[in-house]
Amino acid sequence: MLSRHTRFGIGGPADVLLEIGDETSFIQAIGISKNSGAEYTVIGGGTNLIVSAAGFPGIVLRFTGAAIERQGVAIRAQAGAELQALVDCSIAEGLRGIETMTGIPGSVGAAVYGNAGAYGHSMHERVRTVRFFDGTVTRTIGNAECEFRYRESVFKQRKDWFIFSTELAMEPGEAAELRKTADEIFQIRLTKYPADMKCAGSIFKNLLLAELPEDVQRQVPPQVIREGKVPSAYFLEQVGAKGIRNGGICVADYHANLIYNQGAGTAVELREVIDDLKARVRARFGLELEEEVQYVGFSNGAA
Ligand SMILES: Cc1cc2nc3c(=O)[nH]c(=O)nc-3n(C[C@H](O)[C@H](O)[C@H](O)COP(=O)(O)OP(=O)(O)OC[C@H]3O[C@@H](n4cnc5c(N)ncnc54)[C@H](O)[C@@H]3O)c2cc1C
């Protein structure tokens, strides 16, 4: 059951789950999947996924290569490494640049894919190169070609591309100072996201102020704007999202953009809450919230 591989604890079965640690075997597995006509998809740590009750009718692939290696003031990591392991390694090595990303769960590969970030910094600031399989060959591209934007990259547009590793350009730093910054952030994050909370972090992306209709911009109090973005939580709060409950699925009463599974929640209930919240914001503000979470095994919106 894929519910065992998602932090939400939700999701039906896959026909096959393959965990592979080397590039050659991974490419062979993709080839076999394609030649057999089977559907395939790739997951990392499952911390940003909503998997349908029906699960995934095909092959689910996970790359487990997790080497992390310092190269001067750069650091190279394989996609299957935990992002936290990369953060901890860079801190221990006295390399500055990703310490604010402490506590973001999941893998390095998915962090590049979704340009993960927190506390004012995201992966795109540090990625120098990405090595990936494009469905035919393995190649390496530089930062500009990754087309990073807020929680976006070229890899999100090209579902047939698979990230194997990345090289990050870092700066020299002082390990104790970096550790202190990371530990402070980690403690704050724990109060928002308890370690056993079945969730995916923020469900919806924040919105760029400049891209909002003028009448909506005028309604946003200046104090909620952060780095040119309006938290989607602001709009969700205005439509009464906090504390909503649908079966085993709840919206946190302290954070309108945080949906969690109380234990026995289902994919159907989760989709209903997401659709309800989107409809409320659409009706009140004329805005379309966009999910940050990624869906697996849904067709025609059915759960
Ligand atoms: C409590 C909590 C807090 C969070 N806080 C933050 C936060 O502060 N900032 C933030 O940005 N995110 C946050 N997230 C979201 C999540 O941690 C990130 O999206 C993370 O990068 C997902 O990693 P994963 O390995 O679990 O990916 P998955 O959830 O398994 O997959 C996510 C997507 O990545 C794709 N993918 C995975 N690996 C690869 C690869 N090697 N190549 C190509 N595509 C790949 C998958 O196909 C899928 O579409 C939070 C999540 C939780 C549960």
Side-chain angles (χ1 to χ4, degrees):
M1 296 296 276
L2 291 171
S3 55
R4 286 194 280 123
H5 300 279
T6 63
R7 171 116 175 207
F8 259 122
I10 284 174
D15 288 345
V16 180
L17 171 68
L18 289 177
E19 300 193 313
I20 300 172
D22 73 277
E23 293 185 6
T24 306
S25 306
F26 197 89
I27 291 169
Q28 280 171 352
I30 291 178
I32 292 166
S33 308
K34 280 184 183 166
N35 291 338
S36 70
E39 290 281 316
Y40 70 92
T41 193
V42 165
I43 65 168
T47 65
N48 207 27
L49 294 182
I50 299 180
V51 179
S52 74
F56 185 76
I59 300 168
V60 174
L61 296 164
R62 175 187 271 158
F63 183 65
T64 55
I68 299 173
E69 186 191 351
R70 177 178 182 161
Q71 296 174 335
V73 280
I75 196 158
R76 173 179 289 280
Q78 285 188 291
E82 295 261 343
L83 181 62
Q84 187 64 48
L86 179 58
V87 170
D88 289 339
C89 176
S90 64
I91 291 173
E93 292 286 335
L95 295 174
R96 177 190 302 281
I98 55 171
E99 62 282 358
T100 66
M101 289 181 225
T102 197
I104 300 180
S107 62
V108 168
V112 172
Y113 166 94
N115 191 17
Y119 292 86
H121 299 282
S122 46
M123 292 298 287
H124 78 272
E125 294 165 52
R126 293 294 159 187
V127 170
R128 182 184 284 162
T129 61
V130 177
R131 178 178 161 82
F132 69 104
F133 180 62
D134 71 1
T136 308
V137 292
T138 301
R139 52 195 179 101
T140 299
I141 55 175
N143 183 293
E145 288 172 274
C146 294
E147 296 174 22
F148 287 119
R149 286 175 290 120
Y150 166 63
R151 298 292 179 269
E152 282 292 336
S153 75
V154 70
F155 302 101
K156 263 196 177 176
Q157 311 308 319
R158 299 298 305 259
K159 301 285 184 188
D160 53 333
W161 288 9
F162 179 79
I163 299 163
F164 279 131
S165 62
T166 186
E167 184 195 2
L168 306 184
M170 309 290 281
E171 291 165 39
E174 212 268 294
E177 181 208 324
L178 299 174
R179 185 78 267 162
K180 185 167 177 288
T181 303
D183 287 351
E184 284 168 6
I185 288 173
F186 195 76
Q187 288 311 314
I188 297 168
R189 290 185 64 103
L190 269 183
T191 61
K192 191 164 153 189
Y193 306 115
D196 58 355
M197 181 178 257
K198 293 171 184 254
C199 68
S202 297
I203 290 288
F204 299 106
K205 289 181 180 177
N206 294 328
L207 296 110
L208 295 168
L209 180 71
E211 291 179 3
L212 295 178
E214 274 182 23
D215 62 314
V216 178
Q217 287 188 21
R218 278 195 295 275
Q219 295 176 59
V220 177
Q223 63 272 22
V224 307
I225 300 165
R226 277 187 268 134
E227 295 141 22
K229 294 189 212 80
V230 184
S232 50
Y234 169 74
F235 297 108
L236 291 163
E237 267 178 46
Q238 309 313 305
V239 298
K242 278 182 175 173
I244 281 181
R245 189 180 170 151
N246 182 34
I249 299 295
C250 306
V251 180
D253 57 11
Y254 57 89
H255 185 9
N257 193 16
L258 175 58
I259 301 179
Y260 64 95
N261 175 10
Q262 270 200 327
T266 66
V268 173
E269 291 164 354
L270 182 52
R271 280 299 291 259
E272 282 172 357
V273 172
I274 290 173
D275 290 346
D276 175 30
L277 295 180
K278 289 177 80 166
R280 290 185 191 208
V281 170
R282 193 183 302 125
R284 166 88 179 266
F285 295 99
L287 292 179
E288 198 59 35
L289 291 184
E290 187 188 344
E291 288 93 326
E292 188 173 321
V293 286
Q294 306 287 297
Y295 292 110
V296 173
F298 288 84
S299 59
N300 303 324

